[in-house]
Amino acid sequence: MPEPTKKDDGQPEENVAPDSGDAPSENSVVMTPKEAKVATKDTEAIVTVTEAEAAVPMPAAETPQPQPVVIVVTELEPVEGEVTDPQPLVTEPVENGHNEPEPTQAKKHVEVTEVIEEEPGTPKVPAPSMKKSADTKATPIKEDGSIPKKLSIDLPNDSDPESTRGRKDSVWSLGDGQPPEEIDKQIETPPLSTLLIEKPQSGSINVGGDINFVAKVEAKDLLRKPTIKWFKGKWMDLASKTGKHLQLKESFDRFTKIHTFEMHIIKAKENYAGNYRCEVNYKDKFDSCSFDLEIKEVSDGSQNIDIRSAFKRSSEGQDDAGELDFSGLLKHRQGREHKQEEVPEVDVWEILKNARPDEYEKIAFTYGITDLRGLLKRLKKTKKEEKKSEAFAKRLEPAYQVDKGGKIRLVVDLADPTVELKWYKNGQEIRSTPNNRKYIFEHKGTQRIMVINNCQINDDAAYSVTAGEEKCTTELFVKELPVNIVKKLEPVKTTVNERIELECEVSEEGAKVKWMKNGVEVPTGVRSRYRVKSEGTKHWLIIDDATKDDTGTYSLMATGGTTEAHVQVDLKPLKILMDLQSVTVLLGQPLKLNCEIYPGNVPGRWYKNGQLIQPSERLSIIHRTKNHSLDIECSTIHDAGDYTFVPEGYTQTLSAKVHIIDPPRVHLEALNVPDDTVTVVAGNKLRLEIPISGEPAPRVVWMKGERVILDSGNRVRAETFADHTCLTIDIVEREDTGNYKIVLQNEAGEDTASVKIKVVDIPDPPEAPMVTDVGGDWCTMTWELPRYDGGSPILGYFIERKKKQSSRWMRLNFDLCKETTFEPKKMIEGVPYEVRIFAVNAIGISKPSEPSKPFIPLAVTSEPTMLVVDDVTDTTVTMKWRPPDAIGAAGLDGYQVEYCIEGTDEWILANKELIEKTRYTITGLPVEAKILVRIKAINAAGASPPRTTQHSILVKEVIEPPKIRIPRHLKQTYIRKVGEVVNLVVPFVGKPRPKVNWLKEGQPIDQTISIRNSDCDSIMFIRKAERKHSGKYELSVQVENHIDTAMLDIQIVDLPGPPQAVKIEEVWGNNVALDWNPPKDNGNAPIIGYTIQKADKKTMEWYTCIEHYHRTCITISDLVVGNEYFFRIYSENMVGLSESATATKDSALIVKEGLQLKIPEYNDRDFTEPPIFTQPLINTFAIAGYNATLNCSVRANPRPKVIWMKNKITIIDDPRYRMFSNQGVCTLEIRKPSPFDGGVYTCKAVNELGEAQVDCKLEVKGGFTFFELMKRGVPLHLIDKYMNESKTSEKSESEKKGSI
């Protein structure tokens, strides 16, 4: 069984809150505060059964002696059991004179009324009658007329969960009534409240109403706010139960000094009824008050309990929506009339009990029950409660209560006496031992009894008993009795250092008490001055060595009361046995002051000139019994003064004077400088303070050499103070360097010392630096050391530079340069610069040096590029090259050409003066010699690195056959407009210089054409082209017997003439048919279209009908009916529209009506035809390495299939070829052809009607010239072999052409 949770004060925590919707209904027990004494051991009880409507009175005279308890129990099911000391006897309830079964849940109400034992001669008070309704209670009256207190007990009902039936926190709820264990004790009148000036009053409200309880505390004598707690019953702290049904508020009125505490209950429920308690604490003060809350039921009509409506969830979204309070429903049933029309026709409970589990959901849906989970949970509880115990005829009560030190009997009745029985405490089995009389087990028939003797706090636990597989549990509550004060504390008056003992006696041994001093708990730890001792019921507080601070009010607090006493500690009278004596001590000697006083254990404090003296390593304060002494190991000047000893707690003091004498002395060690040398920076202020000592104060003289430094000097002066002398130099100069002497004199003697002052300064600036070497963006500079280093070694140098035209200097190094050379970099070439130097020592940076002479960074150019041989003769070699890539700011003055004959190391200068051109001919060379050539670029910075030929050059003239290299755009017809400039450049190669000749269609060219020839090309220039310049031009280049020719086709185009014979062929409707002939002059270019315009005869404004029309007949539509039109036509070629247009002679009238259209007859034309090449392939020359294209055009219908062949072999999927066909134009592109790609190419077109093909010859001209082979460094014998093979192949080709 789980252990009930405990609060800090040892009481179980109440788990049921007033605002919880499923709280168990509270059962009340009314008991008088004093229990009557009986002669028998076991208390007998008189049991009367009552019903909800009427109660049967019970006279007290039925028994021969006063009966202590009258119990009334209303319960659903009969429970049989034995009545022992604290247990009620329960019988079967009777309603209206006969037994009637009740619902599964019912409210249990128990009232216990005490009958007070009367003295002889006094009439007996009859027992009060049972309550007649739920709203009225019978209260017994004592002899003095006071109302007895009530004890409220919550008994478990079937609305509690199974898991909480054995727990303390769900069973008991005790109010502030007198507990049962105090019945034997005499009732004492409670003391008046010390804190509460207004207590909460009992009240009653209807269900769902609000009520407010107020408690007030006066705070005039309180330093802080008191602590208040609200309880329901005995244990339930309401501070953790606040919510929408319970609110706690606090307020404070500053004017009246009153704290107001409120507890507000909102929308009260029936289970909120019961006893409440309010507790107030402030330090050692405590006050409490109990009050009752009664919840009345609304009597405005009966209410029928409908299980279907009970298990329907609320749709208002409240916290308790869908929860069923069975105890509340059962309470509503008592004393109410049921309306016949509201009784449910069907008993859903019976249907659910007899149904299978798989039918629950269907039944709930049929009868409108939405809270199926709550219904099944309730049904499960009901079924469990219907199961009766097979092992126990009578189980343990839910809870028992016993006084501390008393005994308790736990009794169960077995249905089968042979069943093995075991008892458990908090889950641990209880075993009986012969020596242990704590637990006694008894057997009486079928009853099994466990007696617990001498109950203590550790017996407060959960107990259970098992019989076979069944188990029943209960809770035992042990209540401690209050500890009372038997013997109070007595006042004590004593003196300091005496022993104090405070003695008190309480009513119980081993009781826990608390010692307080002036309202604060006395510390009793290991290091505390207070000792606490207890023997039996006596308790002592002991203070061994009392001090004056121990004076105060001491109190002892027990649970049953408090006692206090005043302790007064006074001082003893002071006697001076030996007074302090004044002394004179030599500086550095020990100093000792002592005195003797009585009493000896009185501490004291030492003062010097009114200041408190604290002990240190040099100074010690000693107290030994009566003797007090102050010892200083080594006296100083500061130790002189007036000393006073003050005993603690007394007004008397002891005083003495101390005098210290000392010869003069200069303390140079305080300067903490090496060799007594003080270094100071020039220009700063020097204040040299040197400590001096001497008693009396010595006379001080400062001297530099033989000169005395006075205190009235302007820049240099000396000053003397009590403990030091000072030399001040306002502005230190280099001349202040030297030795300074200090002389001290007084009556005790003389002392001298000397100090050396060293003045340091920044160094002098260096001399102007020298620039020794200059590069493209760098230079090299040097300088000399400064003449004066400032008295400190030179650490390094800073270098700055600037442009000559600028005034802004830029520092070049951030780390000191240790050397006297530096190489500035990253300068702009061609810009004049200046540099300067700063010297640096430990003091600072010198002034800058004079700037250097201006210098300009210049760099030589890079080497010339692309040096090649341009021409070679028997005695000369012509070289050409490109300028250097990087020239620089110094520019380029020219080039220097040198050559070296192979086999020697001597380079011969070819040009005595620099040349600016990039081509030079070296003359006077020996025939068939081999030379190497190199070129240097020269500028103001010098010569660049040379560019040398890779291979030697043979000085021998070589014949190179001529070859014309026709540009790609001249391989096709060269078209220009009339009046434009024609400038054709045709390059060629050949050595020696070839002869060039131009012919036009076999005839010499016109004089209007200018021809200019050079070694490598020929230029045709026509300033203003005319149509007569059109034609085919032949260019021939000849070197000795070698000739090469090329054909150029030039076409000069002009605007076309107007069309001819424009006439109106036919007019019908709003349409006009026009017909015309092409122009007589097409402008030397094909006609590409016509532009037709129309004009109304009325306005004669021309508008374009259509442009770029290709045919020579057209039908103009959408003409306006009734208008008369003229038409004109322009012809168009690649140059543009003709200058004039041809108009129709007649006009076309668009007749409004009565028009008849004459539809001509048309014969369908067959457009199908076999392939016909309209433009054949032409023989083509290609240059090796350059893409070549072959073009032709074909017309056919249907569209033909085009096949390309080379040497009668079809070209298929060859990446070197690309084939195109667009609008009948067929193209074959040969990518970078080689001599092997030459041959006969064929284009073949095939369709259903036939096939056609055209051929052409492609010749790929490639290879290398003698010059190119020489440039590549090919040996001469290989060059000769290659040239011979080329000549042989050309001869064979020319012979083939001649034979053809």
Side-chain angles (χ1 to χ4, degrees), residues 85-96:
D85 290 340
Q87 298 175 351
L89 181 62
V90 183
T91 60
E92 187 173 338
V94 179
E95 184 174 354
N96 298 330

Side-chain angles (χ1 to χ4, degrees), residues 834-858:
E834 293 178 350
V835 292
R836 66 182 184 182
I837 309 297
F838 292 85
V840 181
N841 63 2
I843 308 305
I845 303 174
S846 70
K847 294 181 181 180
S849 68
E850 291 296 328
S852 66
K853 294 181 180 180
F855 64 94
I856 301 176
L858 294 174

Side-chain angles (χ1 to χ4, degrees), residues 804-931:
K804 184 179 180 181
Q805 298 83 1
S806 174
S807 60
R808 186 173 66 89
W809 290 89
M810 181 177 69
R811 179 161 293 182
L812 302 181
N813 62 319
F814 292 97
D815 295 331
L816 289 176
C817 176
K818 306 295 184 179
E819 307 296 333
T820 57
T821 60
F822 189 74
E823 186 176 327
K825 296 181 179 180
K826 297 183 180 180
M827 291 185 286
I828 302 175
E829 188 177 356
V831 177
Y833 284 91
E834 293 178 350
V835 292
R836 66 182 184 182
I837 309 297
F838 292 85
V840 181
N841 63 2
I843 308 305
I845 303 174
S846 70
K847 294 181 181 180
S849 68
E850 291 296 328
S852 66
K853 294 181 180 180
F855 64 94
I856 301 176
L858 294 174
V860 297
T861 65
S862 62
E863 57 187 10
T865 59
M866 299 181 67
L867 175 62
V868 296
V869 178
D870 187 42
D871 191 14
V872 178
T873 66
D874 292 339
T875 58
T876 64
V877 173
T878 302
M879 305 296 296
K880 65 178 181 179
W881 60 91
R882 287 287 186 90
D885 293 335
I887 295 177
L892 180 62
D893 296 339
Y895 299 95
Q896 182 177 329
V897 181
E898 296 177 339
Y899 67 92
C900 175
I901 298 176
E902 189 176 18
T904 65
D905 296 333
E906 180 183 1
W907 287 93
I908 302 172
L909 182 63
N911 57 327
K912 296 181 180 180
E913 295 181 359
L914 298 178
I915 59 173
E916 296 181 359
K917 295 183 179 180
T918 58
R919 187 173 185 273
Y920 185 75
T921 300
I922 304 173
T923 61
L925 298 175
V927 180
E928 295 186 357
K930 294 184 179 180
I931 64 172

Side-chain angles (χ1 to χ4, degrees), residues 11 67 114 149 179 257 409 439 472 580 610 642 654 670 786 856 864 894 897 900 934 978 1126 1245 1259:
Q11 300 294 347
Q67 300 299 322
E114 177 191 356
K149 296 184 178 180
K257 304 293 183 181
R409 293 164 55 89
Y439 302 99
C472 64
L580 291 176
D642 295 333
L654 291 79
I856 301 176
V897 181
C900 175
R934 69 182 184 184
V978 174
F1126 287 94
E1259 181 180 354

Side-chain angles (χ1 to χ4, degrees), residues 290-302:
S290 299
F291 54 93
D292 296 326
L293 174 62
E294 181 180 3
I295 307 298
K296 297 181 180 179
E297 301 177 356
V298 181
S299 58
D300 56 349
S302 59

